[in-house]
Amino acid sequence: MILMKDIVRDGDPVLRKVAKPLTFPLSDHYKKLADDMMEYLINSQDPKIAEKHQLRAGVGLAAPQVGESVQMAALLVPDDEGKIIFKEVYVNPEIISESVRQACLSEGEGCLSVDEVINGYVPRPDKLTIHYYTVDGEEKTIRLKDYPAIVSSHEIDHLNGHLFYDRINRQNPYDLKEDTVVIS
């Protein structure tokens, strides 16, 4: 079971590396890693389990965040009522197209690897088309928008050595393009 002590924190060089692609079939080690990352997300979104193990809630977790510099990320995205609207483990994901229109979360973003609150809007594409493989090696291409697209962009950034605050406008953290979709 992945716990908060297992999450790599900002400042560790693994978070700034471009992660290596995986080859198929995945080894048992990487299949277990995928299961463990998803289990963390499920547990972190369950108030009783999260409190018992002192887990910070997460909607995404990339392999570099647990010290593995490989192209894998788990996503478990709930809606406002807590119903899961997107659940997947990406292996070797690639954004193949993105909208010009941007979106951001009204409260900004956080990250399990970043302990301090960093204020500001984090503009990302509102729509993404992502090509990836499942843990079983199935090739997929999906189109996402709004919150699932934001979470996917955040996790794919991790695989490319970027953290969310790299996207915040340093001069004016709350400056947005006029047609940006702000999701509350």
Side-chain angles (χ1 to χ4, degrees):
M1 176 192 252
I2 295 173
L3 299 172
M4 283 306 299
K5 70 176 179 54
D6 303 311
I7 306 284
V8 173
R9 296 309 204 279
D10 193 7
D12 189 306
V14 73
L15 294 174
R16 292 302 188 168
K17 285 183 186 171
V18 175
K20 292 182 175 32
L22 288 165
T23 55
F24 290 93
L26 291 184
S27 68
D28 289 344
H29 171 79
Y30 290 121
K31 287 180 182 178
K32 181 175 178 352
L33 177 63
D35 288 345
D36 289 348
M37 290 192 313
M38 185 59 74
E39 179 188 43
Y40 176 90
L41 297 176
I42 292 166
N43 289 342
S44 78
Q45 291 181 30
D46 180 309
K48 286 183 180 160
I49 296 173
E51 184 179 352
K52 178 182 176 186
H53 296 289
Q54 281 149 28
L55 306 177
R56 280 181 27 211
V59 293
L61 185 62
Q65 292 181 272
V66 292
E68 298 261 2
S69 189
V70 295
Q71 295 271 328
M72 180 188 289
L75 295 91
L76 187 68
V77 184
D79 64 12
D80 292 341
E81 283 86 51
K83 182 175 152 251
I84 300 304
I85 55 173
F86 186 71
K87 178 181 181 181
E88 187 63 274
V89 174
Y90 292 151
V91 179
N92 302 339
E94 180 184 0
I95 295 171
I96 54 176
S97 71
E98 56 185 55
S99 63
V100 173
R101 181 182 227 179
Q102 296 193 312
C104 69
L105 301 177
S106 62
E107 71 275 7
E109 289 183 23
C111 179
L112 295 170
S113 292
V114 179
D115 291 328
E116 68 272 15
V117 173
I118 299 177
N119 294 313
Y121 289 132
V122 184
R124 298 183 179 278
D126 184 42
K127 294 179 183 165
L128 294 175
T129 302
I130 301 170
H131 176 266
Y132 67 99
Y133 295 87
T134 67
V135 172
D136 296 323
E138 182 186 349
E139 192 171 359
K140 289 191 172 185
T141 301
I142 56 168
R143 189 150 172 82
L144 299 171
K145 67 178 193 166
D146 299 333
Y147 192 36
I150 288 171
V151 175
S152 293
S153 173
H154 180 114
E155 298 312 319
I156 292 170
D157 271 1
H158 274 301
L159 303 180
N160 291 304
H162 304 294
L163 294 170
F164 76 92
Y165 59 76
D166 298 341
R167 291 181 177 260
I168 296 173
N169 179 330
R170 294 186 197 282
Q171 279 68 49
N172 187 348
Y174 292 100
D175 186 38
L176 290 174
K177 290 182 182 173
E178 197 172 301
D179 67 340
T180 300
V181 177
V182 179
I183 299 168
S184 31

